[in-house]
Amino acid sequence: MSGAPGRIRIIGGNLRNSRLNVPDLPGLRPTAERVRETLFNWLAPVLDGARCLDLCAGTGALGIEALSRGAASVQFVERDARAAQALRDNLERLKASAGRVSALEATTFLRGTPQPQDLVFLDPPFALGLWPALAQQLETGGWLAAQAWIYVESPRAGALALPSNWQMHREGHAGEVRFALYRRAVPLS
């Protein structure tokens, strides 16, 4: 985490240099600034006007960064009530009205009425191993636009079981973290 403890910085867009207040919660692992910078450089051509879903949002740094850089909307999903409230408070303070927060488990949220998204941030708590289940719910539940982008953050060691029609676009590593951007290909019927 950069900056003062309990705060992270938005690095680009109209909210650049804004600070997010981060609650002290066990397991909360904000995406590092250099990883966010790399990711949003990759996403620059497709972000303007995108509908986004930030699953397992935590601090909301990924989704708020997307709003700052021109995303039309971001639905944040965070199971921890304190993290969800901190996220609401940050959105209100930043006047980021295109962000909505649901304080739910990601699997529960994805059982709701689907709204196809152009970009999904999939960064669940590493210890829970939720990638395959959440990826399957996203793919089969109607949550992904035909050629959606999916960002996946996971431990560097080990392979993930993701849908076969998610095509690797780019990937990188930072310490023990692997980050990857996939592009969804429409499955053949």
Side-chain angles (χ1 to χ4, degrees):
M1 187 157 34
S2 72
R7 292 173 70 81
I8 55 177
R9 181 176 70 97
I10 297 302
I11 54 176
N14 64 0
L15 298 174
R16 183 179 182 169
N17 291 325
S18 297
R19 303 281 175 175
L20 303 180
N21 296 320
V22 178
D24 183 16
L25 299 172
L28 193 61
R29 181 190 36 78
T31 300
E33 268 192 30
R34 70 183 183 136
V35 172
R36 281 187 284 130
E37 185 170 3
T38 298
L39 170 63
F40 284 95
N41 286 339
W42 294 347
L43 290 172
V46 300
L47 200 51
D48 194 42
R51 296 162 298 161
C52 305
L53 175 60
D54 192 348
L55 274 180
C56 308
T59 64
L62 291 171
I64 293 173
E65 195 78 53
L67 286 172
S68 179
R69 294 170 184 248
S73 64
V74 177
Q75 174 66 56
F76 297 89
V77 180
E78 174 49 50
R79 69 184 177 129
D80 185 282
R82 292 169 296 170
Q85 186 57 53
L87 182 46
R88 284 186 193 99
D89 293 345
N90 281 323
L91 289 168
E92 184 177 333
R93 183 175 47 78
L94 296 172
K95 298 179 178 35
S97 59
R100 296 175 312 282
V101 179
S102 294
L104 293 169
E105 292 279 348
T107 54
T108 301
F109 177 85
L110 292 175
R111 285 194 295 266
T113 304
Q115 300 164 3
Q117 304 293 312
D118 302 308
L119 172 61
V120 174
F121 300 106
L122 181 55
D123 180 14
F126 284 10
L128 300 181
L130 295 172
W131 296 274
L134 293 175
Q136 191 60 36
Q137 279 188 279
L138 286 165
E139 182 57 42
T140 61
W143 287 98
L144 299 174
Q147 294 186 323
W149 295 91
I150 307 101
Y151 169 75
V152 179
E153 194 168 311
S154 61
R156 187 172 182 165
L160 297 177
L162 298 174
S164 60
N165 62 311
W166 289 15
Q167 300 171 346
M168 171 72 69
H169 178 67
R170 295 184 101 160
E171 71 177 320
H173 301 94
E176 296 304 310
V177 173
R178 174 182 176 266
F179 55 98
L181 184 61
Y182 294 86
R183 181 80 186 266
R184 180 180 189 248
V186 180
L188 300 174
S189 299

